[in-house]
Amino acid sequence: MAKLFQHGTLAMLVDGLFGGTLAVSDLLKHGDFGIGTAEGLNGELIILDGAPYQALADGTIRVIGDDELLPFANVNSADFEGRAVLSDIEMKDVDATLAKELSYQNTFVAIKISGTFRTVQTRVVKQQERPYPTLSETASKQQVFNAEDVRGTVVGYYTPDLFHGAGVAGMHLHFIDDQHEFGGHLLDFKADQVKLSWQLLDGLDLNLPIQDAEFMAHEASDAEKIQQSISESE
Amino acid sequence: MAKLFQHGTLAMLVDGLFGGTLAVSDLLKHGDFGIGTAEGLNGELIILDGAPYQALADGTIRVIGDDELLPFANVNSADFEGRAVLSDIEMKDVDATLAKELSYQNTFVAIKISGTFRTVQTRVVKQQERPYPTLSETASKQQVFNAEDVRGTVVGYYTPDLFHGAGVAGMHLHFIDDQHEFGGHLLDFKADQVKLSWQLLDGLDLNLPIQDAEFMAHEASDAEKIQQSISESE
């Protein structure tokens, strides 16, 4: 069995703790499949077959360097155990479709969807400078991208509601196309026929940056404020 | 660095998922210091120097067997990094006293307090039979114990507010005396002079019983109900 490795928390991002505290090379020791963001909330990461791609707000995608630092990321060692073909599917139906296959609501699940998508909409957060704003203050700076008839892969996780704030509850999915030219945080997709793969994870391996003085001294927002800020950012 | 290993969640106990899903011997692979409860909410565990003690509701303490199953426990590999002498201290002051030594509020901390205590009050939950009640329904069955001038050890953890429901936010402390005759979940203590030791942990290694069909099929209470039930049980 494998756990979901997570560096940082959503609550830290909500409060504007965007400083990088884990090197890409260290993240990749914990898995070859995943998502995240880079220092300063610089774009959306997609880790696929061990390669870490960074979708930037200017619409380009690069391979991020091994020594670049990340404030937040999720990875696992991919070993998909279940597969299903999804026909005439859109993003909002993924939860219910997976629920027909198995009970997964109480644990973490790695999700991969691959094939040709009729439409894909992503958003990419924009790099921030210190002093960092809060996450909800960055929402107006996000770039939204659309593609049609694109071959690619959805990469992400399901997190149980109980862990919202620590992680991102529900489905948290990123996208990258096969040409590595289009990607980001997935807002929506429609597809005629794509392949869904899943892997149940038996826990959370959460890593906190306790060597980071800013994190350790930070006065965290209370749970209610975090919840509200997350709603405003979505 | 070390993480806090946790098997199960507080939310599962709130909903009455008291079935054992991890053997004591498997728990001890993850640490030699910790706390927990046994199958059926049978008493309070104290793991000290690798020995797993079970304080029972009849007031006795035994060493729990390697193959007995647990629904919930926390352990870590003890390697205390800080120490302070606490003079004229009571339980409610432990948080603030530790805060004078270091910023710890955003991460998990192992806490050990040892010496002679003027007064100690513990409570011990009572074994439940299937069909299990909810945690708050068991509150009236708890036994409360008092001791005076007792040599012993407080064993437990600080968990950040962000993780309440997944774990027990704030200080979650158990007690065992040096004779292994008195112990339980710590409700209160007063002491003239005792030794506090702490160990900052850099994350949470959370283990979920995904092989357990009851857990996987369970319809979890929402966050608000969990919060309310926890308040009623305390």
Side-chain angles (χ1 to χ4, degrees):
Chain A
M1 294 307 309
K3 290 179 181 173
L4 173 60
F5 178 85
Q6 180 174 302
H7 179 71
T9 67
L10 174 59
M12 290 164 57
L13 296 186
V14 165
D15 282 352
L17 292 180
F18 302 156
T21 47
L22 184 76
V24 170
S25 56
D26 288 327
L27 178 71
L28 294 177
K29 291 173 186 167
H30 299 276
D32 56 0
F33 179 90
I35 56 179
T37 189
E39 173 146 285
L41 209 66
N42 189 13
E44 312 281 347
L45 300 192
I46 303 99
I47 296 128
L48 191 56
D49 300 326
Y53 301 97
Q54 181 184 25
L56 296 165
D58 66 4
T60 63
I61 292 182
R62 65 190 279 264
V63 175
I64 189 168
D66 273 356
D67 54 358
E68 295 190 49
L69 297 174
L70 313 174
F72 184 84
N74 286 117
V75 294
N76 75 290
S77 296
D79 184 16
F80 293 97
E81 66 195 36
R83 286 179 177 79
V85 173
L86 307 181
S87 297
D88 195 22
I89 182 90
E90 55 187 297
M91 181 166 159
K92 71 174 177 54
D93 299 328
V94 172
D95 305 57
T97 303
L98 184 58
K100 285 179 195 161
E101 304 284 341
L102 75 166
S103 285
Y104 66 90
Q105 71 271 13
N106 294 324
T107 196
F108 300 86
V109 190
I111 305 280
K112 180 179 179 179
I113 308 174
S114 50
T116 300
F117 296 78
R118 196 162 5 112
T119 64
V120 177
Q121 184 174 66
T122 65
R123 71 127 211 259
V124 178
V125 288
K126 193 177 173 185
Q127 183 169 26
Q128 304 295 315
E129 303 293 339
R130 290 181 185 270
Y132 292 132
T134 64
L135 186 64
S136 59
E137 288 165 353
T138 69
S140 62
K141 308 285 177 56
Q142 295 168 1
Q143 298 295 310
V144 173
F145 300 97
N146 291 282
E148 296 183 3
D149 297 318
V150 55
R151 279 193 63 86
T153 307
V154 174
V155 171
Y157 297 96
Y158 168 81
T159 289
D161 286 348
L162 180 61
F163 300 94
H164 196 48
V168 181
M171 294 287 177
H172 181 195
L173 306 173
H174 287 192
F175 182 86
I176 187 164
D177 81 320
D178 284 0
Q179 306 302 315
H180 308 151
E181 292 173 348
F182 173 85
H185 174 99
L186 190 62
L187 293 178
D188 201 9
F189 76 78
K190 292 187 174 62
D192 296 328
Q193 189 171 302
V194 285
K195 191 175 78 175
L196 167 68
S197 306
W198 64 85
Q199 179 180 355
L200 282 179
L201 303 170
D202 66 351
L204 177 69
D205 180 3
L206 176 72
N207 197 54
L208 295 175
I210 72 167
Q211 311 298 350
D212 184 69
E214 186 179 8
F215 168 69
M216 291 302 279
H218 180 68
E219 193 73 35
S221 296
D222 66 22
E224 198 172 318
K225 189 178 162 208
I226 288 170
Q227 189 59 54
Q228 190 187 340
S229 300
I230 292 167
S231 304
E232 287 169 4
S233 317
E234 281 172 348
Chain B
M1 292 307 308
K3 290 180 180 172
L4 173 61
F5 178 85
Q6 179 174 303
H7 179 70
T9 67
L10 175 59
M12 290 164 57
L13 297 186
V14 165
D15 281 351
L17 292 180
F18 302 155
T21 46
L22 185 75
V24 170
S25 56
D26 287 327
L27 178 70
L28 294 177
K29 290 173 187 166
H30 299 277
D32 56 1
F33 179 90
I35 56 179
T37 188
E39 173 145 287
L41 211 65
N42 190 12
E44 311 281 347
L45 300 192
I46 303 99
I47 295 127
L48 191 58
D49 299 326
Y53 301 98
Q54 181 184 25
L56 296 165
D58 66 4
T60 63
I61 292 181
R62 63 189 280 265
V63 175
I64 190 168
D66 272 357
D67 54 357
E68 295 190 50
L69 297 174
L70 313 174
F72 184 84
N74 286 118
V75 294
N76 75 290
S77 296
D79 184 16
F80 293 97
E81 65 194 37
R83 287 179 177 78
V85 173
L86 307 181
S87 296
D88 194 21
I89 182 90
E90 55 187 300
M91 180 167 161
K92 70 175 177 54
D93 300 327
V94 172
D95 305 58
T97 304
L98 184 58
K100 286 180 196 161
E101 304 284 340
L102 75 167
S103 285
Y104 66 91
Q105 71 271 15
N106 294 326
T107 196
F108 301 85
V109 190
I111 305 281
K112 181 179 178 179
I113 308 174
S114 49
T116 299
F117 295 79
R118 191 157 14 108
T119 64
V120 177
Q121 184 174 64
T122 65
R123 71 127 211 260
V124 178
V125 288
K126 192 176 172 187
Q127 184 169 26
Q128 305 294 314
E129 303 294 337
R130 289 182 186 271
Y132 292 131
T134 64
L135 186 63
S136 59
E137 288 165 354
T138 69
S140 62
K141 308 285 176 56
Q142 295 168 1
Q143 299 294 311
V144 173
F145 299 98
N146 290 283
E148 296 183 4
D149 297 318
V150 54
R151 277 193 65 83
T153 308
V154 174
V155 172
Y157 297 96
Y158 169 81
T159 289
D161 285 348
L162 181 60
F163 300 95
H164 197 50
V168 181
M171 293 286 176
H172 181 195
L173 305 173
H174 287 192
F175 182 87
I176 188 164
D177 80 320
D178 284 359
Q179 306 302 316
H180 308 151
E181 291 174 349
F182 173 85
H185 175 99
L186 190 63
L187 294 178
D188 201 9
F189 77 78
K190 291 186 174 62
D192 296 328
Q193 189 171 302
V194 285
K195 191 175 78 176
L196 167 69
S197 306
W198 64 85
Q199 179 180 355
L200 282 179
L201 303 170
D202 67 350
L204 177 69
D205 180 3
L206 176 73
N207 198 53
L208 295 174
I210 73 167
Q211 310 298 349
D212 184 69
E214 187 179 8
F215 168 69
M216 290 302 279
H218 180 68
E219 194 73 35
S221 296
D222 64 24
E224 200 173 318
K225 192 179 161 206
I226 287 169
Q227 189 59 54
Q228 189 188 339
S229 300
I230 291 167
S231 305
E232 287 169 5
S233 316
E234 282 173 345

